[in-house]
Amino acid sequence: MDALILIGSLALLLLLGFPVAFSVGLSAFIGAWWIDLPWEAVVIQITNGVNKFSLLTIPFFILAGAIMAEGGIARRLVNFAYIFVGFIRGGLSLVNIVASTFFGAISGSSVADTASIGSVMIPEMEAKGYPRDFAAAVTASGSVQAVLTPPSHNSVIYSLATGGVVSISSLFVAGIFPGLLLGLCLMIMCIGFARKRGYPKGERIPFKQALKIFLDAFWGLFTIVIILGGILTGIFTATESAAIACLWAFLVTMFIYRDFKWNQLHILLFRTIKTVTIVMVLIAFAASFGAVMTFMQLPQMITDTFTSISDNKYVILMCINVLLLVIGTLMDMAPIILILTPVLLPVTNALGIDPVHFGMIMMTNLGIGLITPPVGSVLFVASAVSKQKIEQVVRAMLPFYCVLFIVLLLITYIPAISLWLPRAMGVI
């Protein structure tokens, strides 16, 4: 009955149209009232939820990504990606995916990736004979890489949701191979489509022009070196690398590229502060929700339920995948991570599944949810940028969903994809 009151009140508030963060917070207070837990204890959990130094990683990475997104880096990354794959049949679709790989490693956000790369690539692909809905589908599916590869904001949130059991650095390193695998699988499918549908080839870029393009993109690409290099070598913590990346993005955008006007800077900062505020309020309320769940012993009940279904971890993982895929279509990614991680982590721990590996499973599942109706935020951005109806984009997305599900299964049942590199680097 305790769990019904807590979860039922959350579901009711969401159905009534309350914002997710406030729905989570209010349901925590309702649950506390039901079990006679003092509301002061809930308030303490709210303040403790955001009183963590590692949380600084989120605003720094969000600001760095926003600055680079507005500073002309998207066009430079597209040009740089064209050097490597633009000459292949269907090359523009491959350029789209490779550029998303680079941009995701700077922004850490699928929404920013879709908006920035899509605004450049979708009109260009259409001009070269690609259907606009196909271009939107390529852009949206390619942007899922950003939730896996560093500096994924959602990996930071997952680390916090585990209570610090999993380090941000280990998640960043673990996401490299899954993100690259996703991009590679999408590229293989796009090559197949290009040959079947006769999409055009591009021209090879002469060496001198390629060198010029590289030098132009180098300053933005160096942000990736700061983020990954600093963490992998141990020079920076994840929080320190985020701060330095933010400073570097500002210097590159305002003094080297100079595509962004100073009089627009305050608008960008205001937009970033608004985004960060929403995330922080959600994290604070989710901490109280998680505490109430713990008092109700809900995680233990969920663990017992799953283990009663089967003692085979592969069966349980499939059940968890189905659960996350369904919920991922109904709610945004961050609140799901904050609410379900404390619930599902005891289940996976009982099965002997590494929490870093489970983090990659969760990121992939919920990344698919970002491009799935009815509330997929990335899907809506792709629809808006491409000026196509949601139905048209979803129809074009169907083959991409199949590829994404295959990648999900590979990540789920081959732990080495996620764990080999962090173990080799000694971060887990």
Side-chain angles (χ1 to χ4, degrees), residues 353-375:
I353 298 166
D354 191 288
V356 174
H357 178 211
F358 177 63
M360 292 302 104
I361 295 172
M362 178 172 271
M363 294 300 118
T364 309
N365 272 292
L366 301 183
I368 295 172
L370 292 176
I371 56 173
T372 308
V375 295

Side-chain angles (χ1 to χ4, degrees), residues 89 94 186-199:
R89 182 170 296 282
L94 307 185
L186 290 173
M187 290 173 69
I188 291 172
M189 188 190 70
C190 286
I191 291 173
F193 273 128
R195 291 179 177 177
K196 182 179 179 180
R197 299 176 180 177
Y199 292 149

Side-chain angles (χ1 to χ4, degrees), residues 332-360:
D332 202 14
M333 191 169 184
I336 297 176
I337 294 172
L338 291 165
I339 294 170
L340 289 187
T341 298
V343 173
L344 296 178
L345 199 59
V347 179
T348 57
N349 286 340
L351 297 171
I353 298 166
D354 191 288
V356 174
H357 178 211
F358 177 63
M360 292 302 104

Side-chain angles (χ1 to χ4, degrees), residues 99-116:
S100 289
T101 305
F102 290 138
F103 194 86
I106 293 173
S107 70
S109 166
S110 293
V111 172
D113 193 332
T114 300
S116 299

Side-chain angles (χ1 to χ4, degrees), residues 398-417:
L398 294 178
F400 294 87
Y401 290 134
C402 295
V403 172
L404 289 165
F405 290 144
I406 292 171
V407 172
L408 172 60
L409 292 175
L410 291 173
I411 292 172
T412 299
Y413 294 116
I414 306 178
I417 295 174

